[in-house]
Amino acid sequence: MKGLELAEKYYETYGRQMLDQQFAQIRNQAAVGLVGYGSECLGFDDDISKDHDYGPSFCIWLPAEIFKEYGARMQAAYDALPKEFMGIAGRVEEEQGKGRVGVLCLEAFYEEMIGRYTLPQSDAEWLAIPEEMLATAVNGRVFEDPFLQFTHIREGLRQYYPHGVWIRKIADSMAKAAQAGQYNYARAMKRGERIAAELALTEFVKESMHLVYLLNRTYAPFYKWMHRGMQNLAVCSEIGDMLGLLYQIPDPAAAWEGVSPAEYVYNLNTNDGRVLIIEAVCNILVQALNEQGLSDLQDNFLQNHIQAVLSKLGKF
């Protein structure tokens, strides 16, 4: 059973009654759900994930003043709930997984996630928050929130970046993808610097995936889930499969023997299958930029679209 489904069933069976009977006086100020760290909050958990931090559990978020008065008592009541549920053993936590479920201070939760317990107000404040933490703050599921304080912040973050921040992040990611995949990969391969070439390839993969998330107006999660999460995106999701092909191509070193700088700088080395895939990925990204009105150029080199994208800062 997926962690989110297990958490909700566990709450409905035991947690709701605990809150209703033992904490009726503050019942309407408690938000309940499962949000935060862990593959289960993204819906990506599987049998491998069950080796740690898996089991019947959920989160209760209380405003700071309520948490100060009732948090310890409510945590004790939470701890007294049955550990095993539906044949699934109680949650076994690793050291770094402690404090992710149970009774939590609402403000402290958001401070840990995004460094603040109010919504960012300026572009600088948005840019200061690591994107993976924004993804972590809005994942999972809220089962109920009668007071709506938790949901107000959550929904504000889910509205996504302000336009100016979005444009700047797209331009930055385009520059990194172009430099790594369309420029430095070839130079490193020609020099025989295989580690540098692999690093350039990895940087291209990461930034091209990041661009797909940006073009879908969706926060990119922690790096190990970026590729998996692309399956759920509407725009350019096919790029995920294309990037997978990069790692199936046999050693391309021979494709660079005898290639002159003029050949690989001004003309693509089509003997290297990785180059063909990189360019195909960039072509799809360019078409998406065109379709979203961010650039009207057809040039396949992502770097050449940056000024067109930045020109949209004051528009829309």
Side-chain angles (χ1 to χ4, degrees), residues 139-195:
N139 67 18
R141 191 180 304 160
V142 176
F143 307 149
E144 60 180 64
D145 182 14
F147 195 53
L148 295 178
Q149 183 177 348
F150 184 89
T151 298
H152 171 74
I153 301 173
R154 177 179 170 87
E155 292 305 313
L157 295 174
R158 293 179 78 175
Q159 292 298 310
Y160 201 58
Y161 290 121
H163 176 75
V165 174
W166 181 60
I167 290 293
R168 288 183 175 88
K169 289 183 74 72
I170 289 175
D172 179 69
S173 195
M174 287 169 57
K176 291 175 179 176
Q179 182 186 53
Q182 295 182 288
Y183 182 74
N184 280 329
Y185 171 75
R187 296 171 72 85
M189 286 299 295
K190 176 57 184 173
R191 290 186 173 117
E193 296 178 350
R194 296 304 301 277
I195 291 178

Side-chain angles (χ1 to χ4, degrees), residues 89-137:
R91 181 182 176 100
V92 178
E93 296 181 329
E94 292 187 332
E95 186 63 32
Q96 60 267 36
K98 291 182 178 179
R100 295 182 179 181
V101 295
V103 184
L104 307 172
C105 174
L106 185 155
E107 289 87 343
F109 173 85
Y110 279 114
E111 284 181 344
E112 180 177 351
M113 293 292 114
I114 63 171
R116 56 191 298 126
Y117 59 87
T118 57
L119 292 171
Q121 298 301 308
S122 67
D123 286 2
E125 289 176 352
W126 277 101
L127 288 166
I129 304 171
E131 188 166 344
E132 67 186 61
M133 296 309 296
L134 288 164
T136 303

Side-chain angles (χ1 to χ4, degrees), residues 6 10 13-14 55-56 81-91:
L6 176 64
Y10 184 59
T13 303
Y14 294 116
L81 296 176
K83 299 296 185 289
E84 184 176 322
F85 178 65
M86 299 182 68
I88 299 172
R91 181 182 176 100

Side-chain angles (χ1 to χ4, degrees), residues 126-305:
W126 277 101
L127 288 166
I129 304 171
E131 188 166 344
E132 67 186 61
M133 296 309 296
L134 288 164
T136 303
V138 301
N139 67 18
R141 191 180 304 160
V142 176
F143 307 149
E144 60 180 64
D145 182 14
F147 195 53
L148 295 178
Q149 183 177 348
F150 184 89
T151 298
H152 171 74
I153 301 173
R154 177 179 170 87
E155 292 305 313
L157 295 174
R158 293 179 78 175
Q159 292 298 310
Y160 201 58
Y161 290 121
H163 176 75
V165 174
W166 181 60
I167 290 293
R168 288 183 175 88
K169 289 183 74 72
I170 289 175
D172 179 69
S173 195
M174 287 169 57
K176 291 175 179 176
Q179 182 186 53
Q182 295 182 288
Y183 182 74
N184 280 329
Y185 171 75
R187 296 171 72 85
M189 286 299 295
K190 176 57 184 173
R191 290 186 173 117
E193 296 178 350
R194 296 304 301 277
I195 291 178
E198 294 301 319
L199 288 172
L201 189 70
T202 298
E203 180 74 1
F204 171 76
V205 169
K206 180 172 73 72
E207 290 302 332
S208 59
M209 288 194 295
H210 187 204
L211 272 169
V212 172
Y213 278 91
L214 287 164
L215 292 170
N216 280 273
R217 296 177 183 264
T218 300
Y219 300 123
F222 184 54
Y223 74 89
K224 77 172 183 176
W225 299 120
M226 286 179 71
H227 185 260
R228 171 78 175 274
M230 289 175 68
Q231 300 172 9
N232 302 326
L233 302 177
V235 178
C236 299
S237 60
E238 68 270 28
I239 284 178
D241 290 337
M242 296 170 68
L243 293 174
L245 295 175
L246 285 171
Y247 299 97
Q248 299 178 27
I249 292 176
D251 187 351
W256 294 91
E257 294 178 0
V259 176
S260 71
E263 289 176 300
Y264 71 78
V265 171
Y266 300 106
N267 299 288
L268 298 177
N269 183 357
T270 56
N271 292 321
D272 184 342
R274 286 178 169 181
V275 170
L276 295 177
I277 293 173
I278 288 169
E279 291 303 314
V281 167
C282 291
N283 182 261
I284 292 175
L285 290 169
V286 167
Q287 296 310 309
L289 292 170
N290 293 162
E291 290 169 4
Q292 295 194 23
L294 297 172
S295 175
D296 57 5
L297 305 176
Q298 294 299 315
D299 192 322
N300 218 49
F301 189 34
L302 292 177
Q303 180 74 34
N304 292 342
H305 292 262

